[in-house]
Amino acid sequence: MRAMQISSDHPLLLRIVDDLAERGWSQQNIFLPLGLTRKLAAECRKRAAEGELAPAAVGRGPTSEIREGIRGDHIQWIEPGQALACDSYLSLMDSLREAMNRGLYLGLEDFESHFALYPPGAFYLKHVDRFRDDDRRMVSAVIYLNDGWLPEHGGQLRMYLEDGVEHDVVPTGGCLVVFLSGEVPHEVLPATRDRLSLTGWFRRRGNEPF
């Protein structure tokens, strides 16, 4: 059984590229097939049950720290070859990377991603995804893995757009949200049940000296 693949000129990927060019973000409510969404959710829950997800830190490097008053999710980074479902997801994201490079000339070189599990009541206060001292993150991508999610369960991703517009995304399974990492402030609202996702960043080469 092989990992799922999609051409970088697939109409769905081109739609995302057009959205990014026009407004800096894109929401595709049906991106992942149901079967793959459920396999990724099962993988996330398996890792959580085995104690592999750890509280996420704020910041990076030696200045990073656990601050549950800012961020309450538990995460684990994924790597190729760990699970077929993860490899399928990474393959899809690589096709999206190629589509964005061809359509937007972003020079994206790689993609990093982690599982994120927000237990009931957990949240992530308003922030942007690009670090002050590291400009490599260019485009953020969040895939939701929640089966049977209803708006009343909470957990929305709230994006703060231009002209004071707020846009809420309900984290339903299979939904993909993509946005420019340094330009779209956002927060995660608390939910009444476990909230699962894969959160990742397309990165360009950094400006750090050799």
Side-chain angles (χ1 to χ4, degrees):
M1 187 174 180
R2 298 175 58 189
M4 179 179 297
Q5 294 181 325
I6 184 173
S7 171
S8 60
D9 61 0
H10 190 283
L12 182 56
L13 302 186
L14 298 182
R15 190 183 314 151
I16 294 171
V17 172
D18 288 344
D19 285 346
L20 287 173
E22 178 182 346
R23 62 187 185 183
W25 64 279
S26 181
Q27 177 180 341
Q28 304 300 322
N29 291 328
I30 303 176
F31 183 81
L32 283 190
L34 179 59
L36 179 55
T37 301
R38 287 178 171 172
K39 288 177 182 177
L40 288 168
E43 180 69 19
C44 182
R45 291 191 180 281
K46 171 178 172 289
R47 296 183 185 205
E50 294 173 353
E52 296 180 7
L53 273 63
V58 176
R60 76 180 191 106
T63 63
S64 66
E65 58 180 329
I66 306 299
R67 299 183 63 183
E68 292 186 357
I70 295 177
R71 176 180 186 179
D73 55 327
H74 292 66
I75 69 169
Q76 186 188 43
W77 296 92
I78 66 172
E79 300 292 342
Q82 294 177 333
L84 179 60
C86 293
D87 287 349
S88 292
Y89 159 72
L90 291 174
S91 179
L92 290 172
M93 292 297 100
D94 197 57
S95 295
L96 178 55
R97 181 187 64 83
E98 293 178 0
M100 290 189 293
N101 277 344
R102 188 171 59 248
L104 302 173
Y105 307 103
L106 293 179
L108 304 172
E109 291 198 336
D110 61 19
F111 179 71
E112 60 178 4
S113 184
H114 61 62
F115 282 114
L117 188 156
Y118 287 80
F123 54 87
Y124 195 162
L125 296 183
K126 184 178 178 181
H127 64 284
V128 294
D129 283 349
R130 183 180 292 175
F131 297 113
R132 293 180 181 178
D133 60 346
D134 186 342
D135 65 353
R136 287 178 293 176
R137 287 181 176 178
M138 291 293 292
V139 180
S140 304
V142 185
I143 289 276
Y144 295 108
L145 309 175
N146 306 296
D147 194 21
W149 197 275
L150 300 174
E152 52 264 36
H153 292 147
Q156 289 87 351
L157 173 72
R158 176 165 293 169
M159 297 191 293
Y160 295 88
L161 308 174
E162 294 181 352
D163 301 321
V165 174
E166 297 179 4
H167 177 71
D168 285 357
V169 180
V170 178
T172 53
C175 175
L176 169 70
V177 181
V178 180
F179 53 89
L180 298 178
S181 300
E183 299 182 20
V184 181
H186 55 283
E187 67 175 313
V188 176
L189 304 181
T192 60
R193 50 178 281 200
D194 285 349
R195 177 189 187 275
L196 311 181
S197 67
L198 273 163
T199 301
W201 298 272
F202 296 93
R203 304 188 304 177
R204 65 182 178 184
R205 184 184 297 275
N207 291 330
E208 299 175 355
F210 290 101

